[in-house]
Amino acid sequence: MSFLKSLYPYFLGVVVLSADVSVCALASEESVSAGTTLAQRIYDRENGRDASSRGVMVLEEKGRPSRERKLYTYRLDKSKGEIWSLVRFVSPADISGVGLLTLDHPGDNSDQWLYLPELDKSRRISSDRKGGKFVGSDIYFEDMQDREPSMDWHNLMGHQTFQDQPCEVLESTPRKADNSVYSKRIGCVHLPSLIPLWVDFYRDGKKEPSKRMVVNRFDKVSGIWTVLESTMSDLEKGTQTRLRIEKVVYNVNLQESLFSRQALEDQTVEKAFRP
Amino acid sequence: MVLAEWVRAVLRACSFSMVILSAPVLAVDMTGLSQSDGQVMTRHLVLKGFSTKEQAERAVTVLKDAFAAQWRYQYAESSGSAEMHHEVRADTERGGYLVDVSIITPSAPVEEGDSSAIPVVSVDQALTETPAKEASGQEVFPAESEAQVRADALRGEGKEVELKVVRVLVPDDHTVKKRFVRRTDAARALTVLKEAWAEQWQYQAPDATEDEREALERLGSFSIQEDKEQGGYLLIARGINIKTNYRVRWWTAVAEQAPPEEPPAGAVIDALIEGADEKPSAFRLNGRVKGELGWPAANGQGDGGVHYANLYAAFAWQPAPWLEMHVAGRVDGNWQQNVRWNEVNSLPGEVFMRWRGEKNRLTVGRQSVIWGSLDAVPLNDRLSRVDLRRVMMDDLQDRRLAVPMVRWEQFMGGLKLDAVLQPEFKSALLPALDSYWSPIDQKNGLAMGMEVNPLVSALVSKGTFGDDGGGWGGAGIRLSQAGEGLDWALTVQRFRPSTPYYELNPAVRSTLLATGNPQLALSSASGDAFIGRHPLGWAVGGDLGMPLGPATLRMEAVYLTDVPVTTNDLRLDSVQGVDWGAGIEWNPGDAEARLIAQIVRRQLLNAEHVLNSVAVTHLNGSYQDEFFNGRWRMSLAYAIGLEQRDFYWKPELTYLAHEPHQLYLAAHLFTGKPGTMGGYYEKKDLLTMGWRMRF
C-alpha cells in the first residue's frame, strides 16, 4: 500500500513493514491475499504520468504560532518503479530556493540531492534516511519516498466507515524491519478512489500509533483522484502538519530534464513548469 | 416459502440496483427475462447506453457488489446459491456498449413488489452554479459533442463562451417494495441499498462537486414499514435520477479582454482555486541581517565588547527566462569597546548578468563560485576570494566574497562542464591590525602560524605588512556528474590563493642573517617588512560523493604544484603538495540529529629544510540536533589538529520558533600549542549573543 502516493501527488508512496510474523500468522490466507491485491491496486492506481502542484505546508502546535512552508512539487513516473520528483520551497525566506531532487529506482534504491541556494551548490544526501522530519514538519523522509507493495506484508482487516465514507481497513507490515521507520501501518482505503482516508503509523512495535494521517479533502482533478488537503499528526508530541494543495495539474508532459541537477540548481528551469 | 420470498426479493433488489445504475444514460431491457426449471431461476437483463466500455464495466462492478451483498444478507439462512454472470459488448443497434447480465437464483419466487409513481418531477438548476454574468444566450444539448461544436462556432463569432454540465432531475417510476419476514433482514437490505445508491454517484457523476454529490445521495428514499395486513416488513425504496445535459452560454466578448492563456501542449489543467494562479515575479529581493554582541571570556588583555552587524541584500531582475540581472551588496560593521576600534564598510556582492540557453548558462560579473564537496572546507575551492575578517566564525557562504569572473556552464545529459575565468585577482580580506581577530598581534609580537621566538617577535612588532595582490586571477574548469549511486568531479585550476603567504622582505632577511639584529634589518629595507604573496600554481583535483549505508561519504583530493613555504634561511620557496580529505554526513538515530565528521590533511612533497610542518591533519565537522518540537537547535562545530594540540569549538544554542528570525547564544573557544590557530587565539575565547534573519 502506498499511502502517500494517494496523499501527495508529488510525494510518493510509502508503506509498512516489519517481519512481524505474528501478524502474518494470525492473518488468514484470504485476508492477506486480498490485502496484497488491494495494496497493489493502490500502488497502480491512476496517478497520471506526471504532475506538478503548488502546496502549502502548515506546521501547527497548540499554543504556538503556526509556521508555513510554500512549495512546488513535480513528479514523473518514468517507468514502473522509476519515479522522479523535485520539490522546491519558495517560502519562508530561510528555506526559499531550497530544492530536493529524488530519483527513486525500482526496489529500495534512490538517489537524493539537496540544493542549498546560499552556497549555490547541490549535494548528495543519504536516501536511506527515513525517520528524519522533512523541513521540521511531521512528515518523515520515508513518507515521501516510493514504496513498492512487495516490500510489505498486507492484511485486509475488514470494513469501516469514516466520515460517512465506506473504506477497507488495510494493515501493512514491513517484510524487512530495517527498511522502514515504522513497524506497522494501518489505514482505511476508500475503494472507489483507492485513497486511504486515514492512516495510523506505528513505531517500535508499540500498540498505540505514533502518528496519524487524515485526509480532509479529496476530489477528482483531471479525472484523477487527488488528495487536496490532509493532516499528519504526531500523537506523541501533539504537533500536526497540514498539507494543502492549492493547484495541481496532471499529464503536462514534464520533461526528464526537469529532474536533473541543472533544474535543481537553477530555479528558472523549473519555473516554466509551475502550475 | 421463505426461500422463495427471498429469491423474489433479491430479484426486485437487482432490478432496483439497475435503476440506480441507469441514472444518466442507461436503458434497461427486462423483456423475456425469466426462465425457470423448477430448481433455479435464470433472469436476463440488458443494460444499454454506455458510451464507453470502461463505463459499462464500472457499472458491472457496482452491480456485482450490490448483488453479492444482498445475497449475503438476504440468503443467509438459505442452502441455495446465487450467481451472476455478465458480458460487456458493443451495442450494434444504438452504438456504445451494453451489459448482458444473467442472474441465477434458487427458484420459486413468492413475494411481489409494487411500483408506484413518484410524485416529484422537477427540472432544477440547484445543482448548477449561478452564472457570474448575465447571459446573453444559452442552449442545452443532450450530447457533449454537439455542445462543443456549438461552442466552437460561437467562439468563432467572437463570443465569450461557457460550456457547462447541467444536471436535471427526472422522475423514477421504479419504486420497489420488498417484503421481509424479519425486520433485521429488511434493515440489512436497506443498508446495502443505501450504500449502493450513494456509491453509484462516484461513477455516474464523477465530475460532481462534494455538495452536488451529497445532494444526489439525498435523492434516494429508503424506509421500512411494518405490513400489518400481510405480515412482515416492507422495504420501500425509490429514487430520483439525474439526466446530464450540456449547456452552452455565451456573452459578447469585450474587445479589450486578453485572450485566455493557452495551456501547455497536451495539458489538462484544472484550477482548483479560482484566481489562485501565482505567476513568478520578474523581480526578487532577498537577503539576510545579522546582529551580534560579543564578550571576551577572559578579559585579561583589556578587550571590551566585540560586536558585529551585517546586512546582505540581493536584487534580481529577470525580464525573460534567458536573461537575468543580479545586484547584491553587503555592509559590515565592527565595534570593539576599550580599544575604540570601529569599522563600517561596504562591499559589492554578486553583481552579474546571466544569459541562459537550453543547456548552458553564461554569467559575467562579480560572482562567487565554490567548488568542492567537503563541508565548510572544500579542498577544490581555489578560485574563491576568502573573507577572514572573522576567521572561521561564520558559515562558509559568509566567508566567501564575489570576484569578477566569466563563467560558462554547459549541461550535457548528466554531465556538467563548468569553466571559469577570473581576469582580476582579489586578495583575501583580512582583519585590520586593530581587530580582535587580527592574525598579527604586534603588541605581543605574535603572528598566527609562526612559532614564537625573539627574532620573529621583534620583526612582527615593528615590521609592516603589505600585499602583492592585483594582476591576473586565474581560471578553472570542472567536469562533474551526479549519477546513480555516485557523484564525481574532476577539476583543473590555474590559480593564485587569495590568502596571503607572508615572505620576509629579502633586504630585511639579508641584513637579519648578516647581523642578527631585527631593528637594523627592518631599518635597512625600503617597503614592507612582510609581503603577502599569492604564488600562481596549478591545482588538479577530484571529488567523490556516494551513499554509504545510512550516511553519505564525501572525498576530495587535490594536487598542488606551488605551495609556498619558508626555508630554514627564511627564503620564500614553493614545493608540491597534496591536500586530501574524507568525511561522512550521517543522521544518528535516523532522526533530526546530523553529524558531519571529516578528516583533512595537507602533505608537502619533497619539502626539505623548511620551517613549515610537512604534514598537517585536522578533524573537523559539526553536530546539530533540534529539540522541543524543532523550536530549539543545539549545534557544535569543531576543528581538531592531530599532529599537535590545536582545538576550536563553537557550541551554539539557537531559538528557531519565530521564523524567519533566529536568536542564538554561542561561544568560540580556542586552545592549542603556539604556532597553531588554537594556540594563537587561545586567549581570545568569545561569548556571543545574536539575532539573524532572512528576508
Side-chain angles (χ1 to χ4, degrees):
Chain A
M1 173 168 55
S2 183
F3 289 124
L4 293 181
K5 187 171 184 176
S6 306
L7 289 180
Y8 314 116
Y10 38 92
F11 292 165
L12 301 173
V14 179
V15 180
V16 169
L17 239 325
S18 80
D20 191 337
V21 178
S22 61
V23 170
C24 297
L26 289 171
S28 71
E29 189 177 329
E30 186 183 353
S31 66
V32 169
S33 172
T36 304
T37 303
L38 179 57
Q40 190 64 48
R41 284 179 63 202
I42 295 168
Y43 188 78
D44 293 338
R45 82 178 182 87
E46 176 57 39
N47 214 19
R49 176 186 174 270
D50 59 53
S52 67
S53 70
R54 184 178 74 236
V56 180
M57 194 184 278
V58 184
L59 282 53
E60 297 173 329
E61 185 180 0
K62 195 174 181 182
R64 305 267 174 193
S66 60
R67 294 178 283 169
E68 274 194 4
R69 278 113 175 76
K70 291 188 177 178
L71 64 163
Y72 287 90
T73 64
Y74 310 87
R75 173 184 55 79
L76 173 66
D77 284 9
K78 192 165 175 288
S79 60
K80 192 168 180 63
E82 185 77 28
I83 299 169
W84 296 356
S85 63
L86 175 65
V87 178
R88 175 83 63 196
F89 288 90
V90 293
S91 75
D94 56 345
I95 60 169
S96 176
V98 169
L100 180 70
L101 173 65
T102 304
L103 306 184
D104 274 314
H105 309 302
D108 196 22
N109 299 322
S110 301
D111 288 295
Q112 207 163 43
W113 294 269
L114 187 69
Y115 172 68
L116 304 170
E118 286 293 311
L119 291 168
D120 191 22
K121 283 174 77 170
S122 58
R123 52 192 299 166
R124 176 182 286 273
I125 58 175
S126 172
S127 58
D128 274 7
R129 189 180 185 193
K130 299 184 184 301
K133 290 183 163 195
F134 183 62
V135 291
S137 72
D138 295 296
I139 297 169
Y140 291 168
F141 277 82
E142 178 177 339
D143 299 333
M144 301 187 303
Q145 294 166 353
D146 180 48
R147 190 167 176 93
E148 295 170 15
S150 60
M151 297 168 73
D152 301 282
W153 300 111
H154 307 281
N155 179 25
L156 193 58
M157 301 173 73
H159 313 277
Q160 204 183 75
T161 298
F162 180 71
Q163 293 181 352
D164 298 329
Q165 295 289 337
C167 55
E168 303 292 315
V169 181
L170 182 64
E171 177 191 69
S172 298
T173 316
R175 288 175 187 250
K176 292 180 183 174
D178 61 356
N179 73 8
S180 175
V181 71
Y182 303 115
S183 54
K184 183 170 66 176
R185 290 186 179 90
I186 296 178
C188 205
V189 182
H190 181 242
L191 282 183
S193 62
L194 294 173
I195 284 178
L197 301 180
W198 58 263
V199 182
D200 279 355
F201 299 84
Y202 295 77
R203 295 193 67 167
D204 307 322
K206 291 179 182 173
K207 290 183 178 177
E208 297 300 320
S210 61
K211 294 203 307 183
R212 174 168 296 147
M213 183 285 299
V214 173
V215 170
N216 307 115
R217 193 162 66 94
F218 68 104
D219 207 339
K220 268 192 172 178
V221 178
S222 299
I224 295 172
W225 285 108
T226 306
V227 174
L228 300 174
E229 186 173 325
S230 62
T231 303
M232 180 77 87
S233 303
D234 188 318
L235 303 176
E236 294 167 351
K237 295 181 177 176
T239 57
Q240 66 177 31
T241 300
R242 275 191 298 122
L243 185 63
R244 189 173 70 247
I245 305 300
E246 291 188 338
K247 188 169 184 180
V248 58
V249 295
Y250 289 100
N251 299 325
V252 285
N253 291 328
L254 295 183
Q255 303 298 304
E256 287 185 17
S257 58
L258 176 61
F259 303 89
S260 64
R261 197 172 51 157
Q262 180 188 4
L264 177 66
E265 296 177 355
D266 188 346
Q267 291 188 62
T268 300
V269 175
E270 162 257 313
K271 276 180 184 172
F273 296 94
R274 288 183 178 177
Chain B
M1 287 295 286
V2 172
L3 180 60
E5 181 180 329
W6 282 335
V7 171
R8 188 67 174 270
V10 79
L11 287 173
R12 287 293 184 189
C14 286
S15 66
F16 182 78
S17 295
M18 281 171 256
V19 171
I20 293 172
L21 286 166
S22 71
V25 289
L26 291 183
V28 182
D29 182 356
M30 297 180 69
T31 56
L33 48 68
S34 64
Q35 293 177 338
S36 175
D37 62 1
Q39 298 294 317
V40 295
M41 171 171 275
T42 304
R43 305 193 76 168
H44 296 287
L45 314 172
V46 181
L47 288 70
K48 297 180 180 176
F50 296 98
S51 56
T52 65
K53 191 174 182 180
E54 186 187 26
Q55 198 177 22
E57 286 171 343
R58 282 177 181 163
V60 170
T61 304
V62 175
L63 181 61
K64 289 181 79 171
D65 285 349
F67 177 78
Q70 285 166 341
W71 182 257
R72 190 164 66 243
Y73 291 123
Q74 296 177 23
Y75 290 77
E77 299 170 17
S78 168
S79 58
S81 62
E83 300 173 23
M84 194 186 102
H85 305 281
H86 76 276
E87 181 187 5
V88 176
R89 62 172 189 270
D91 187 339
T92 54
E93 292 179 5
R94 53 184 288 183
Y97 290 84
L98 59 80
V99 183
D100 197 338
V101 181
S102 302
I103 298 173
I104 305 169
T105 60
S107 194
V110 168
E111 187 42 64
E112 82 290 353
D114 298 331
S115 296
S116 60
I118 294 178
V120 179
V121 179
S122 61
V123 178
D124 188 30
Q125 301 297 325
L127 297 177
T128 68
E129 293 176 11
T130 305
K133 312 172 196 177
E134 184 181 351
S136 60
Q138 63 175 334
E139 294 174 39
V140 176
F141 298 86
E144 186 178 8
S145 57
E146 295 173 33
Q148 191 63 57
V149 168
R150 178 60 177 151
D152 291 343
L154 289 165
R155 287 193 186 101
E157 295 170 12
K159 291 187 168 60
E160 187 180 342
V161 179
E162 174 199 75
L163 196 159
K164 214 171 181 75
V165 174
V166 183
R167 296 193 183 83
V168 181
L169 304 184
V170 296
D172 183 343
D173 60 357
H174 282 74
T175 293
V176 173
K177 292 180 182 176
K178 296 180 290 180
R179 187 187 310 284
F180 292 85
V181 175
R182 298 185 306 183
R183 188 180 184 92
T184 310
D185 293 333
R188 284 173 175 167
L190 183 145
T191 303
V192 171
L193 289 174
K194 281 184 77 172
E195 287 182 359
W197 171 268
E199 193 175 68
Q200 61 150 341
W201 299 117
Q202 306 281 356
Y203 301 109
Q204 304 292 353
D207 53 346
T209 65
E210 194 173 336
D211 291 342
E212 287 176 341
R213 197 161 290 151
E214 284 179 6
L216 289 169
E217 290 172 15
R218 284 196 296 271
L219 297 178
S221 168
F222 307 88
S223 62
I224 297 172
Q225 284 182 7
E226 186 177 0
D227 190 340
K228 293 182 179 174
E229 293 180 2
Q230 299 184 40
Y233 296 87
L234 289 175
L235 166 59
I236 302 170
R238 67 183 184 188
I240 298 172
N241 286 328
I242 60 168
K243 181 178 171 187
T244 302
N245 283 329
Y246 298 86
R247 181 176 63 202
V248 176
R249 297 180 181 212
W250 67 89
W251 300 265
T252 303
V254 180
E256 291 76 20
Q257 275 189 326
E261 193 168 311
E262 288 292 327
V268 179
I269 293 183
D270 287 358
L272 296 176
I273 300 174
E274 291 296 330
D277 285 352
E278 284 185 0
K279 297 293 178 193
S281 170
F283 301 96
R284 194 176 71 243
L285 175 66
N286 57 34
R288 55 184 184 267
V289 185
K290 181 176 184 176
E292 181 179 282
L293 301 174
W295 297 273
N299 207 13
Q301 295 191 323
D303 294 314
V306 179
H307 312 311
Y308 173 70
N310 167 260
L311 166 67
Y312 182 92
F315 173 75
W317 179 43
Q318 192 170 4
W322 56 271
L323 180 64
E324 179 180 351
M325 279 164 265
H326 192 279
V327 179
R330 62 184 284 172
V331 178
D332 297 271
N334 291 279
W335 295 268
Q336 285 177 221
Q337 295 173 331
N338 295 355
V339 295
R340 297 189 178 279
W341 179 80
N342 299 314
E343 181 187 68
V344 177
N345 56 38
S346 60
L347 285 171
E350 290 194 307
V351 181
F352 60 73
M353 286 189 70
R354 174 173 287 163
W355 293 265
R356 282 186 180 81
E358 187 180 346
K359 292 290 176 188
N360 42 47
R361 293 197 302 187
L362 172 65
T363 310
V364 178
R366 300 179 72 97
Q367 52 193 302
S368 179
V369 178
I370 304 174
W371 286 343
S373 58
L374 287 184
D375 187 68
V377 286
L379 301 181
N380 278 287
D381 172 34
R382 299 287 166 177
L383 288 166
S384 290
R385 185 187 186 194
V386 180
D387 184 353
L388 290 169
R389 288 175 296 175
R390 281 165 50 86
V391 202
M392 291 186 65
M393 293 175 67
D394 299 315
D395 294 333
L396 177 63
Q397 63 268 21
D398 295 322
R399 291 186 275 121
R400 295 293 182 269
L401 299 168
V403 289
M405 280 188 188
V406 177
R407 185 183 192 188
W408 177 267
E409 296 165 273
Q410 182 72 43
F411 298 90
M412 304 167 290
L415 289 171
K416 178 184 178 184
L417 185 67
D418 198 351
V420 163
L421 175 67
Q422 190 177 328
E424 181 188 358
F425 176 76
K426 292 282 186 183
S427 183
L429 271 187
L430 300 176
L433 285 176
D434 289 334
S435 165
Y436 186 79
W437 298 111
S438 171
I440 309 295
D441 179 359
Q442 290 194 302
K443 181 179 172 185
N444 297 302
L446 298 174
M448 187 167 66
M450 289 187 183
E451 296 280 355
V452 177
N453 71 59
L455 277 181
V456 171
S457 293
L459 291 172
V460 169
S461 296
K462 303 294 182 185
T464 57
F465 292 79
D467 194 287
D468 74 344
W472 188 64
I477 189 165
R478 180 177 170 89
L479 182 66
S480 61
Q481 184 178 38
E484 187 171 341
L486 177 71
D487 298 346
W488 60 264
L490 293 172
T491 310
V492 178
Q493 296 168 85
R494 184 73 169 153
F495 76 106
R496 299 174 65 191
S498 70
T499 305
Y501 187 89
Y502 285 101
E503 177 191 13
L504 185 62
N505 186 316
V508 175
R509 170 181 163 270
S510 300
T511 308
L512 183 68
L513 291 177
T515 66
N517 185 336
Q519 301 292 347
L520 187 60
L522 287 171
S523 61
S524 68
S526 60
D528 296 314
F530 294 93
I531 306 162
R533 299 295 188 192
H534 309 271
L536 186 65
W538 289 96
V540 180
D543 44 87
L544 294 173
M546 67 187 79
L548 184 67
T552 303
L553 174 66
R554 300 189 182 98
M555 292 185 286
E556 274 193 81
V558 58
Y559 164 75
L560 302 159
T561 59
D562 295 271
V563 181
V565 291
T566 304
T567 61
N568 290 341
D569 59 354
L570 303 180
R571 275 187 305 109
L572 176 70
D573 198 358
S574 66
V575 297
Q576 297 173 351
V578 173
D579 289 359
W580 64 265
I584 59 162
E585 180 175 340
W586 177 47
N587 298 99
D590 198 11
E592 280 61 68
R594 187 183 69 170
L595 172 68
I596 293 175
Q598 300 180 147
I599 182 169
V600 176
R601 180 178 174 88
R602 161 162 288 190
Q603 177 80 49
L604 300 180
L605 305 177
N606 304 317
E608 295 176 352
H609 314 297
V610 296
L611 296 176
N612 307 68
S613 300
V614 174
V616 178
T617 314
H618 274 89
L619 294 178
N620 62 60
S622 63
Y623 176 84
Q624 70 172 47
D625 199 0
E626 293 182 356
F627 51 99
F628 293 143
N629 292 333
R631 294 194 300 276
W632 291 86
R633 181 176 65 210
M634 180 273 291
S635 65
L636 174 68
Y638 62 93
I640 304 169
L642 294 187
E643 281 84 10
Q644 49 189 340
R645 189 168 58 86
D646 182 13
F647 291 94
Y648 167 62
W649 305 94
K650 180 194 172 187
E652 182 176 297
L653 181 67
T654 310
Y655 181 63
L656 304 163
H658 289 281
E659 291 178 342
H661 307 276
Q662 296 185 2
L663 299 171
Y664 63 91
L665 290 170
H668 301 270
L669 309 173
F670 303 87
T671 184
K673 293 182 70 173
T676 65
M677 185 183 82
Y680 178 79
Y681 288 119
E682 193 165 44
K683 295 179 180 175
K684 296 280 189 179
D685 291 347
L686 191 71
L687 306 177
T688 62
M689 179 175 72
W691 159 77
R692 59 191 168 220
M693 65 88 72
R694 293 182 190 279
F695 58 89

